[in-house]
Structures are given as C-alpha cells and as structure tokens.
Amino acid sequence: MKGKVTLIATAAMGLEAIVAQEVKELGYDDVTVENGKVTFTTDPTGIARTNLWLRTADRIKIKVGEFKATSFEELFEQTKALPWTDYLPENAEFPVIGRSVKSQLFSISDCQAIVKKAVVEKMKASYKKDWFDENGGFYRIEVALHKDIATLTIDTSGTSGLHKRGYRYLHNEAPLKETLAAAMIKLTNWHPDRPFVDPFCGSGTIAIEAAMIGQNIAPGFNREFAFEGWDWFEQNWFDSAMQEAEDLANYDQPLEIYGTDIDHRMVDLAINNAKEAGFPDLITFKQMQAKDLRSKKEYGVIVGNPPYGERMREKAEVEKLYKEVGATFREYLPTWSVYMITSHEKFELYYGKTATKKRKLYNGNIKTDLYQYWGPRPPKPKEDK
C-alpha cells in the first residue's frame, strides 16, 4: 500500500464541522463534510496521524468502495469487485458489521453475511486458496447502507473508538465522552494563558481534555490502534507520526486548570484519572459547590456539564442550581466566558441571561444545547517601547 487512501473520520451529530477543521489543521485539504462523517484523501501515513491527533472524531476508516445496491446480488458482485487484497493479507481476521438506514436491503445480518462471502471469494481468487485461518491482523469491515448506497470501509482505529484515550479507567454513571468534551473546549475562546474551570467536573474529563489541548498533546498518544497489527502498514510510518506528536507537545506550557464537584467521590475519581493521563500536578480538583466559585483573575473560561434534570423529581433541584450559578457567575466572574451544555430547554430562563450563542450537540442520544456566554476580550498587552 504505497498510494493514496480515502479516509472517513466518523463524527457524532453536530461535531462534523469541528472534525473537518481538525483534519484541515493536519494539512489535508481534500475534505468533504456529510452527516456523521468527514471524508478526505491522504497517503498511508495519514492513517497514523489522524488516529493520533483527531480529538473530536469517533473513528478513522478506510473507504474501500461505494456503490448503489438494491438487491443482494448487486451487493455481492460489487463488493467482490473491490480491491480487498490491497488491504487484507491472506491471514487477516476480518469480521463484518453493518447498518442500514432507509434502504431496500434492511436485513443487517444478511448484508453482513453477503459481504463476508464476497470478500472471501475475492481472496480465494487472488490468493489461490480455499481456506483462510484468520489468525493475523484485525481488519473490521463495515457495510453501511444509506438510501440504497452501500459504503464499504475498514476500521483503522480498533475495537475501541477514539474517545478511549486510555486515561479513564473509572467514571461516573453518565460520563461525557472525551470527544464531546474536547469539542466543547474547541468551541470556546480559551487560551492556555487563561484560567479554565469545570465546576461540575465528575470524573474529570473536561479538565483533562483541556490540559491535553493546552499542552498540545496528541489524544491518541497513549493507546493502541488496529492498524499497528497490519502487515502492510510500515512501522516507520507510525514511528514518524509518534515522533511528530512528541516534538509538537509543549510539556512546559504552564496551565491553570481547576475542576470542582459537590461529590467528594467524583473529586477522588477525577484526581486518579488525571494521574493516569499524566497530569498528577497540573490540574487542581476540589470538592466545592458551583455557587461558591470565585477567582481573583479577571479573565477566564468556565466549561461545564451540569445535571440536566431528566428525571422529574430532580427538575426543581436542577433549576435552583441553574439560578444559583447564573447569579454567582454574573456577580463574581462578570468578565469570564461561560459554556454550559444541558438538555434543559429553559436553561437560559433559570440561569437568568440569554446566551450569546447556542449550538446543538448530542451527548450520547440526548439532544442538548451548548449555551455560550462570551465575556469581553482581554486587553492586548502593551508593547515595550
């Protein structure tokens, strides 16, 4: 595999534009954005670089082919015609998963079986063998049907999505995905020279992602990927991507990051997760109510994932909390920027202020809004004459 590959970075709904921006920042400009995915072309080194660097994407997949299929015969023949042996060695382990939306071929199990059979037939013809042991590298194939268009991909990331950074072994009951936390931070005006606070820190995800962004640490630096076990993926491609990540990390960047939570168990959890992430002393976690937040610093950023009040018995309590934090931030932190994500449709009413901007995001399957309150720009430092 020496030529160009087409990659698909999958994204949660609402994050596609952020993923596309990240892809462009890595130097790839042939970028197409669609619902749930960002498609671009690269040489094979891009497989390693995007897996290491994309903070807000779910997975990186190689696009093997795309075609219209309204019958099982079409699906079989066109799958078989694709260049599978460019990617799959004869000992490849290649399970097939599938999904179908608004398509005539709606039986996912049948589609998976047909794709598996078609790939095997292609390999039989190419490798002149009738049996394959599947004891080599892991190449998970996906057949995704949408409005009768079949897209065939191979997952480069592995069984764990890219949100699995390797630092969060324990978490609270309703954890925020690392990819969403990173996206929320990237939507702020935060710079590493300003203080950053998460007043509802839970297991520490937002604060840890902020530290990784602040020191420009590649989010995939401490995990493994499926492509590492592929015969054709040259070790030097991965080595150079890892070296680039090491060279670009700014471990000396001082940061002022705080996470607070009313539950001391969450604070302990966050401290342990920060240690796993390599930030034992960089982030300060403290048990505290959000309404008690104060700072002597004039400009800072608050990013929080407060309780939503999804259960009726919690609703009044949550609405009281929104009132309290709104009053606190306006009185004690009037020049700070505030970003809060919640599914509560009347958040602005209880918070006591209309957001500068709202952005629709999905926290798992929950439709939420990121309420953005922009503080004034800090004055530019005066130049020495």
Side-chain angles (χ1 to χ4, degrees), residues 1 5 7 28 40 42-52 60-62 87 156-157 225 227 230 232-233 237-238 241:
M1 173 57 61
V5 289
L7 297 183
Y28 308 114
F40 56 101
T42 169
D43 58 50
T45 61
I47 295 170
R49 293 184 71 232
T50 51
N51 272 288
L52 280 171
I60 307 299
K61 301 175 181 179
I62 295 173
Y87 305 101
T156 73
S157 301
F225 304 99
F227 69 80
W230 294 358
W232 57 264
F233 196 90
W237 295 339
F238 188 49

Side-chain angles (χ1 to χ4, degrees), residues 69-272:
T70 55
S71 69
F72 289 132
E73 184 181 359
E74 280 182 321
L75 180 63
F76 178 84
E77 292 299 337
Q78 294 191 79
T79 298
K80 187 182 171 185
L82 294 175
W84 292 105
T85 49
D86 286 357
Y87 305 101
L88 304 181
E90 56 186 85
N91 67 342
E93 179 187 353
F94 59 103
V96 179
I97 61 170
R99 54 194 170 92
S100 179
V101 179
K102 298 178 182 176
S103 296
Q104 292 180 55
L105 301 179
F106 57 84
S107 171
I108 293 168
S109 57
D110 285 339
C111 291
Q112 289 172 192
I114 285 161
V115 166
K116 179 79 175 186
K117 185 179 177 183
V119 176
V120 169
E121 289 303 312
K122 176 75 170 199
M123 291 175 73
K124 281 181 179 178
S126 296
Y127 292 122
K128 313 299 182 193
K129 287 177 68 173
D130 289 326
W131 178 259
F132 301 96
D133 291 326
E134 294 201 38
N135 57 6
F138 185 77
Y139 301 76
R140 187 170 69 179
I141 295 170
E142 182 183 60
V143 50
L145 286 141
H146 182 249
K147 294 182 179 177
D148 296 327
I149 301 297
T151 305
L152 279 294
T153 58
I154 301 171
D155 192 334
T156 73
S157 301
T159 50
S160 298
L162 295 181
H163 70 284
K164 296 283 189 183
R165 316 284 207 220
Y167 64 75
R168 196 168 71 174
Y169 294 103
L170 298 168
H171 52 72
N172 52 334
E173 283 182 15
L176 192 74
K177 259 191 177 180
E178 294 87 335
T179 43
L180 179 56
M184 287 166 61
I185 297 159
K186 289 181 81 69
L187 287 167
T188 74
N189 61 356
W190 180 61
H191 296 281
D193 59 350
R194 293 188 210 164
F196 180 100
V197 180
D198 175 5
F200 308 99
C201 71
S203 55
T205 306
I206 292 175
I208 294 168
E209 290 296 316
M212 294 178 83
I213 290 170
Q215 292 196 335
N216 202 35
I217 295 169
F221 198 71
N222 289 316
R223 58 158 287 165
E224 295 177 345
F225 304 99
F227 69 80
E228 292 180 69
W230 294 358
D231 290 3
W232 57 264
F233 196 90
E234 296 180 16
Q235 184 63 41
N236 66 295
W237 295 339
F238 188 49
D239 290 343
S240 65
M242 288 290 281
Q243 188 60 54
E244 178 191 33
E246 183 65 40
D247 292 343
L248 291 175
N250 184 6
Y251 298 114
D252 296 325
Q253 171 67 50
L255 297 172
E256 200 176 332
I257 298 176
Y258 303 92
T260 69
D261 202 284
I262 195 169
D263 188 341
H264 70 89
R265 294 168 299 178
M266 290 297 103
V267 173
D268 291 343
L269 202 55
I271 290 169
N272 285 329

